[in-house]
Amino acid sequence: MGAQKQRLELTWYNKNRALIPTSQGKYGYTWVDPQDPRYCETHTLKLGDYITGIQHPRSPEITYGDLAGLPPTHDNLLVLGESGDVLEALTRVPELAEKYVNQVKCIYIDPPFNTKQTFEHYEDNLEHSIWLTMMRDRLQHMRRLLSKDGSIWVHLDDAESHRMRVLLDEVFGAHNYVAEIAWQKTYAPENRSVFTQSHDMVFLYAKNWDEFKKSRNLLPRSAAQDIAYQNPDNDPRGPWKPGDFTAQYNPKENERKSQIYTLTTPAGNSFTPPSGRCWLLTEPRYQELLADNRISFGANGNGRPALKRFRSEVMQGRVPDSWWSYQDVGHSQDAKKEILNLFPGQEPFATPKPEKFLERVIQISTNPGDLVLDTFGGSGTTAAVAHKMGRRWITCELLDDTFNRYTLPRLTKVVQGVDLGGITSTSGERVDATVEGLPEAMTAEEAQKLTSLLNKAIKDQPELKKSIDIKTLKSLIKTKRSPDVMNWRGGGGFQVAHLSPACFDYSPELGLTTLTKAASDLEVLTSSVAAQLGFHLTPMHELFHGLKGAMRLYVTRTPLTPELVTEIAGQLNEGERVTIASTVVLDKSRQALRETSKGSRIIHIPNDLFRFDEEVSN
């Protein structure tokens, strides 16, 4: 017999059960049956203020980047509420599901690390099985929200990372694993520790590996890379930079006799390769490139040959790698400074993430206009960066205090264009300013350092000026600083929302589902019932509250009598049916509906909405 295909799964205590919050606004949970009404109830979103931003005009004194030219996004959503309930709303409420399921391009989450520590603004001390169940339920919703070429980035330290990796394999499939990214979050050793924990890890999974491979973006070229390309001869192929026209010469491995010759330039100068080198190409090939204007001989035409490397012919970016140094994307102290600049005198979060870090995540995984989701919003860094990069976004935050003191104010500053930190602007870089390019493998920073050392040596030993051609030497390592670039000018907007209150409660001891105080508001109850039954709300209709196909919805707290049933059914158009949901259903009402409108049904609120072992009554 052939070997049976096995699948590795992580098992934990109460894996087949569900969790409900024990209190609002904190990470506390109780185990319940997955069919418990308190777990099954779908909350809706109640819309609040819409925050509109201002885009500032361009200034001729400022250099602007490409991001500054993108149209600001307006279709964004900030929700106050528990992440699990928010995700259920996005995937189950018909109006939201149609808009968001299979539409999110990038999900970045920085969930509670479960480090057994209690931080000021949230409790990060969840027991392993609770933490895994909490994360599994959310990941399953997130997978539904991802587009076919979407990706999820899960940021963790080493407390739960080994378990999370197996859980992600289970939810997304091991074949959709893309990378484990190490972020160097600190730059200084922690001498009080046995080991300095200098990095976090980010697990990257695709919804579909093949689709993500096709849509994944390269990292953008740096200003230092691009500024090296000039076009002094107005070549129609665009900017270029000189490249070395020699190669290493090792006759023991390869004699390369055809690449050892005396090269004659158009100016009549003759050159031979330097010691230990040969020409990059054979003489016939050199002549072909010369005829195609792909060889440069310096500004005055009397220099050694250099190969013209056109910017349009090189890779237009860099392939992402799995090591993200703090020099490239910032570190934890950078992130804290960003928060302190936004909220002076306060330090609201122990482990914030720098905007440059999120910029790289979003650059790799999305394009302008794509949708980004973060369900552990915190200070709102993910949404802030997504907005500045011209992406649409959804984020939510559990704690009311965090939401109102930090998340909402920060994102308001972003759209108003008064958030001047993070990726709003990019500082200029040290770049090559030589005529023929810096010596091979020398960076602009190294050239600048060498220039500084030369200046110091000349100051200390003036006689060096007589023995060394300092001016010529400096011209070979000349650098300059590129201008600062403004990336964000404000604008766009976002919708503020909060989760609707629970309309149903359940007593396990009595096996009884009851209505809460919130259900006394008919509008709230109607929205909840419509969400539970999958109806689109129809607020403009004069009688019916919802619609699903040819089925109308009518919700009432008035006792349902045969006469009322007949009156409601009488308002149906030809081919329509109705679901009547009522808190009180009197005798013979169901029979009256069967006689009046075949295929229609009556549902008692709440008894018929939540049944552990039965279908909803017809």
Side-chain angles (χ1 to χ4, degrees), residues 600-612:
S600 294
R601 61 178 179 171
I602 291 175
I603 289 178
H604 179 269
I605 306 171
N607 293 346
D608 294 336
L609 285 175
F610 304 101
R611 297 252 177 149
F612 280 24

Side-chain angles (χ1 to χ4, degrees), residues 51-73:
I51 309 300
T52 303
I54 302 170
Q55 187 174 55
H56 302 293
R58 290 177 179 264
S59 169
E61 290 80 28
I62 297 175
T63 300
Y64 293 94
D66 292 340
L67 290 178
L70 295 175
T73 59

Side-chain angles (χ1 to χ4, degrees), residues 5-22:
K5 187 176 181 180
Q6 299 290 328
R7 187 174 74 165
L8 177 66
E9 289 188 2
L10 186 64
T11 298
W12 63 86
Y13 173 73
N14 272 347
K15 180 177 181 179
N16 295 325
R17 293 178 66 78
L19 290 168
I20 59 171
T22 54

Side-chain angles (χ1 to χ4, degrees), residues 504-524:
F504 309 102
D505 200 357
Y506 179 72
S507 171
E509 294 81 11
L510 300 176
L512 183 65
T513 304
T514 59
L515 297 176
T516 66
K517 184 178 179 181
S520 60
D521 184 326
L522 183 59
E523 182 179 350
V524 173

Side-chain angles (χ1 to χ4, degrees), residues 255-523:
E255 292 188 2
R256 296 189 178 184
K257 292 181 179 180
S258 61
Q259 292 170 242
I260 303 291
Y261 54 91
T262 299
L263 183 152
T264 303
T265 74
N269 299 318
S270 297
F271 295 100
T272 56
S275 177
R277 309 287 291 181
C278 62
W279 294 125
L280 182 66
L281 301 167
T282 63
E283 187 170 12
R285 182 60 178 147
Y286 158 71
Q287 294 293 343
E288 290 178 8
L289 294 179
L290 182 64
D292 194 27
N293 190 24
R294 286 180 176 267
I295 303 294
S296 168
F297 301 95
N300 58 14
N302 290 315
R304 296 180 69 85
L307 182 66
K308 292 170 69 173
R309 299 187 182 277
F310 293 93
R311 186 172 63 190
S312 61
E313 295 177 353
V314 300
M315 183 179 287
Q316 300 303 300
R318 297 174 288 136
V319 174
D321 62 28
S322 60
W323 169 248
W324 294 9
S325 68
Y326 70 80
Q327 293 97 332
D328 290 335
V329 298
H331 48 66
S332 295
Q333 291 304 313
D334 290 331
K336 289 182 179 181
K337 289 177 183 177
E338 291 173 0
I339 299 297
L340 287 171
N341 288 335
L342 286 165
F343 305 101
Q346 302 183 55
E347 189 172 330
F349 300 94
T351 58
K353 307 303 178 289
E355 288 199 9
K356 286 179 66 177
F357 174 87
L358 268 303
E359 180 186 31
R360 176 169 287 193
V361 170
I362 293 170
Q363 168 63 35
I364 293 170
S365 59
T366 69
N367 296 308
D370 285 341
L371 183 59
V372 177
L373 169 67
D374 182 355
T375 56
F376 298 91
S379 63
T381 304
T382 305
V385 174
H387 199 88
K388 293 178 185 180
M389 295 178 70
R391 276 67 168 174
R392 296 176 296 127
W393 52 266
I394 308 168
T395 194
C396 66
E397 169 53 37
L398 169 67
L399 303 180
D400 183 86
D401 180 67
T402 299
F403 183 92
N404 288 298
R405 290 177 61 191
Y406 303 112
T407 323
L408 176 57
R410 179 181 189 174
L411 295 174
T412 300
K413 290 182 178 185
V414 170
V415 300
Q416 291 177 346
V418 296
D419 172 11
L420 302 180
I423 66 165
T424 294
S425 62
T426 303
S427 298
E429 299 178 279
R430 179 64 55 182
V431 297
D432 180 6
T434 64
V435 174
E436 297 189 9
L438 290 170
E440 185 177 7
M442 178 178 282
T443 66
E445 289 76 15
E446 291 170 339
Q448 170 63 17
K449 186 175 181 180
L450 179 56
T451 301
S452 299
L453 291 172
L454 283 172
N455 291 335
K456 183 178 180 181
I458 294 169
K459 182 179 180 181
D460 294 341
Q461 304 179 54
E463 64 275 10
L464 286 175
K465 284 187 175 181
K466 301 177 182 179
S467 59
I468 301 175
D469 187 350
I470 297 295
K471 185 176 180 180
T472 300
L473 181 57
K474 284 188 174 181
S475 71
L476 298 176
I477 56 173
K478 185 179 179 181
T479 63
K480 64 181 179 180
R481 194 158 194 86
S482 64
D484 293 348
V485 175
M486 184 65 67
N487 301 311
W488 174 242
R489 298 186 289 131
F494 61 92
Q495 177 68 59
V496 180
H498 65 271
L499 282 167
S500 64
C503 287
F504 309 102
D505 200 357
Y506 179 72
S507 171
E509 294 81 11
L510 300 176
L512 183 65
T513 304
T514 59
L515 297 176
T516 66
K517 184 178 179 181
S520 60
D521 184 326
L522 183 59
E523 182 179 350

